[in-house]
Amino acid sequence: MCVKDDRQVLIVTAVEAEREAVLRGIGAAGARFTVLAGGVGPAAAAASTAAALARGSYDLVVSAGIAGGFPGQAEVGSLVLASSIIAADLGAETEVGFMSVDELGFGSCVMEPHMPIVQKLSVAGQQAGYRVKVGAIITVTTVTGSAATASLLAERVPGAAAEAMEGFGAATAAQQLGIPFLEMRAISNEVGPRNREAWRIGDALRMLENAASLLPEVLL
C-alpha cells in the first residue's frame, strides 16, 4: 500500500500520561500529528480510533504507549515495535486448550503493521542509541499478573515481545478503512507476577517520548 510523503498521522494512546509523552517527543513538528488518549483496552481503542478517522483524513495510525515486556525478549526501558499485532485471548477455551478465532474459522487475531515504516523507525532508534526490538506485540483484555499466565501466553504466541491492551483495537479500525498502522511500546515492566514497586513507568514514558521524537524524521 502506498503511503503519501506528506503524511497526516493519528497517534492513539490509552491514557493522558502517554499522550503527553508523545506530544513532548513530537514537539514543534506536531502540526502533522493528532494525538489522543483513547481509553484503556481494545474496545475503547477501536472506538476512539474509528471516531477520529471518521472526523479527519489520515494516512497512518500509530498505537503508542507503555507495556510489559516478556523476559528474554524485551528489557525494561527498551522500545518494542510490532512486527505483528496479535489478539492473544480472542478465541475459545476448549477441553484441549485455547483455540484462536483463526482456528475456529471466525476471522483472524493477527494484524500486520506497515513494515517499511517499522524498519525505518527501528534503524532510527538504534542509531539514536536506544534498545529497539522488532517483534510480536500481543493485545489482551486482562493484564498478566502471574508467572503461569505469562508462560501460557509465551507458549501461545512464540517470540512475543510485549503485552499491551490497545494495539489490536486501533489496528482493526485502521484496517477497516485501508489505512496503514503500526504499534510502538516502551517497556515499563516484565510480563509476569504483578509487582508495582518494580515498574519503571517514568523510564518507559521517557523512552516513549524519545520514540515519538523519531517520527517526524522517519515520516519525511
Side-chain angles (χ1 to χ4, degrees):
M1 179 176 296
C2 178
V3 182
K4 295 181 290 185
D5 290 337
D6 185 21
R7 298 178 181 91
Q8 295 297 311
V9 182
L10 174 65
I11 303 178
V12 184
T13 70
V15 298
E16 189 63 28
E18 294 168 326
R19 176 178 179 270
E20 291 173 355
V22 170
L23 287 172
R24 288 193 301 270
I26 292 170
R32 295 171 54 207
F33 298 84
T34 299
V35 187
L36 63 88
V40 174
S48 58
T49 302
L53 293 176
R55 292 191 298 267
S57 178
Y58 296 97
D59 305 293
L60 179 69
V61 172
V62 180
S63 177
I66 65 176
F70 281 90
Q73 295 291 337
E75 300 175 6
V76 174
S78 67
L79 175 69
V80 176
L81 305 173
S83 58
S84 58
I85 302 170
I86 302 171
D89 54 7
L90 183 60
E93 184 179 11
T94 75
E95 292 182 353
V96 295
F98 176 82
M99 292 183 67
S100 70
V101 291
D102 303 72
E103 295 170 302
L104 294 168
F106 296 146
S108 180
C109 64
V110 181
M111 293 286 179
E112 301 295 341
H114 190 78
M115 289 308 294
I117 299 177
V118 171
Q119 295 296 347
K120 287 178 66 177
L121 190 56
S122 174
V123 170
Q126 292 176 44
Q127 290 177 341
Y130 307 142
R131 292 171 292 166
V132 182
K133 167 82 174 185
V134 177
I137 299 179
I138 66 170
T139 299
V140 295
T141 54
T142 301
V143 172
T144 297
S146 70
T149 300
S151 178
L152 182 65
L153 289 171
E155 181 179 348
R156 186 178 298 170
V157 184
E163 171 191 271
M165 300 182 73
E166 292 80 32
F168 191 83
T172 298
Q175 186 181 67
Q176 289 290 316
L177 295 175
I179 300 172
F181 54 87
L182 60 92
E183 182 173 10
M184 62 182 195
R185 295 284 170 177
I187 303 304
S188 61
N189 58 279
E190 288 190 352
V191 177
R194 188 174 175 83
N195 179 10
R196 286 294 299 268
E197 294 182 357
W199 290 6
R200 288 165 46 189
I201 293 176
D203 290 344
L205 289 173
R206 281 187 286 275
M207 175 53 71
L208 181 61
E209 178 181 342
N210 291 337
S213 73
L214 301 173
L215 288 173
E217 173 189 347
V218 166
L219 298 178
L220 285 177

